[in-house]
Amino acid sequence: MRLDEIKISRAIIESYTEKLVKALDVDVAIVGGGPAGMVCGYYLAKAGKRVVLFERKLSIGGGMWGGWIMFYEIVFMESAKKILDEFGIKVRQYDKGYYLSDSIETVSTICSKAVKIGLKIFNLLSVEDVMIREKRVCGLVLNWTAVEMANLHVDPITMRAKFVVDATGHPAEVARIIERKSGIRLKTKSGKLMGEQSMWAEVGEDAIVRNSKEVCPGFYVCGMCANAVFGGPRMGPIFGGMLLSGRKIAKNIISKI
Ligand code: 48F
């Protein structure tokens, strides 16, 4: 059989376009493919919801690949072990209440299981704005990351979602856009972003799950972004809170759709 480059190009264009068109109107849109966003997407897809995740970078996984200062090990507490077990990730007990997993196995397994169960992941797309109608967040405005990086004057694409989840980690990018542009009072103490506090793993791990919630109509936060929005400490290479927070937001949204 002779290979035809044009057929290869056509196959990719047709197939990708079909996926992109389906992603234009969904139940849930998640921004950011770190551990929190991926786990959130996994549980939503598992519940049969139409869910897409947009990731700026070439690879998903966010800050999990690098473990602790590039040592690819991550630490979990007991409460998150059940989630790792559900994904079939190898977990080793280090001491009472301290569990370790290989960050590369953890990222790749969560991603693989999430995609296989139905989460649609689009890499290389950056969220640059939101769609708001009647004071409710109801969609996203995206552009190719390459366009963003090259600072090109190219208009973006818009998609609609019943719920939007900000899982962009420390920068809380979507929440910042809403704060800056919408005039909507956020459900924080000040009505604005509270900002992330200095490192305190024990407090941060609990806070992140508590802070994972609705910020304004149609808009939720999970992962490190939740502490940046509601004011909680960062916590370094301990990742249990990220997984628990992603699952919590999935459950919240499932109960509302
Ligand atoms: O940073 P990230 O891993 O967030 P997370 O899931 O987990 C935090 C931990 O990795 C770590 C930590 C552990 O104690 O503190 O930081 O809360 O993943 C966020 C992802 O969002 C993408 C970004 O490239 C990363 O992969 N992202 C950020 N802004 C945008 C975005 C955007 N505007 N559009 C698309 N993707």
Side-chain angles (χ1 to χ4, degrees):
M1 197 198 83
R2 287 174 57 204
L3 268 182
D4 176 1
E5 279 80 1
I6 307 308
K7 197 170 265 183
I8 295 169
S9 302
R10 189 177 290 135
I12 292 169
I13 292 169
E14 286 175 5
S15 170
Y16 185 87
T17 307
E18 197 185 327
K19 286 195 277 192
L20 192 58
V21 168
K22 279 192 187 142
L24 293 181
D25 198 347
V26 297
D27 293 326
V28 188
I30 300 170
V31 189
M38 278 198 295
V39 167
C40 182
Y42 167 84
Y43 284 107
L44 283 160
K46 193 176 175 200
K49 305 304 167 202
R50 291 175 304 128
V51 50
V52 293
L53 185 154
F54 299 105
E55 166 56 50
R56 167 178 285 143
K57 295 191 177 149
L58 191 54
S59 64
I60 50 74
M64 210 185 220
W65 293 110
W68 175 81
I69 60 160
M70 297 198 265
F71 290 15
Y72 60 95
E73 289 286 324
I74 39 185
V75 175
F76 295 90
M77 342 68 93
E78 183 83 45
S79 50
K81 189 175 169 293
K82 275 200 192 102
I83 299 183
L84 291 164
D85 289 343
E86 181 176 342
F87 278 97
I89 293 162
K90 237 179 289 140
V91 175
R92 290 154 282 136
Q93 184 165 15
Y94 175 73
D95 204 344
K96 196 168 180 303
Y98 291 77
Y99 295 90
L100 280 164
S101 76
D102 176 304
S103 67
I104 294 173
E105 179 188 349
T106 308
V107 171
S108 54
T109 306
I110 293 175
C111 177
S112 165
K113 295 251 157 105
V115 170
K116 283 183 196 298
I117 213 156
L119 173 65
K120 301 286 178 249
I121 297 182
F122 289 83
N123 63 348
L124 295 171
L125 275 168
S126 291
V127 170
E128 60 169 53
D129 201 354
V130 292
M131 183 157 74
I132 297 178
R133 296 290 179 273
E134 284 147 20
K135 296 202 177 282
R136 182 185 170 90
V137 178
C138 58
L140 294 170
V141 180
L142 301 124
N143 217 322
W144 302 112
T145 302
V147 167
E148 178 188 73
M149 286 172 79
N151 203 14
L152 299 176
H153 192 162
V154 176
D155 273 328
I157 183 169
T158 311
M159 58 82 57
R160 179 163 46 218
K162 293 188 185 103
F163 295 93
V164 167
V165 179
D166 189 347
T168 59
H170 298 271
E173 289 200 18
V174 188
R176 258 175 232 290
I177 294 166
I178 294 169
E179 179 194 48
R180 194 174 73 242
K181 289 191 171 185
S182 74
I184 297 175
R185 188 183 162 83
L186 309 183
K187 293 181 178 178
T188 61
K189 275 192 194 131
S190 63
K192 302 256 175 206
L193 260 71
M194 302 296 290
E196 182 187 292
Q197 296 160 3
S198 290
M199 179 93 81
W200 191 354
E202 190 183 358
V203 174
E205 280 283 279
D206 285 342
I208 209 158
V209 182
R210 214 175 37 250
N211 289 335
S212 294
K213 54 189 174 184
E214 189 184 57
V215 182
C216 65
F219 179 60
Y220 289 72
V221 283
C222 68
M224 209 46 234
C225 174
N227 277 4
V229 170
F230 286 98
R234 59 187 297 211
M235 68 281 288
I238 178 149
F239 281 81
M242 307 300 154
L243 311 187
L244 292 164
S245 111
R247 188 179 65 179
K248 177 184 171 187
I249 290 305
K251 282 185 178 171
N252 275 2
I253 293 177
I254 290 164
S255 71
K256 295 203 164 151
I257 296 181

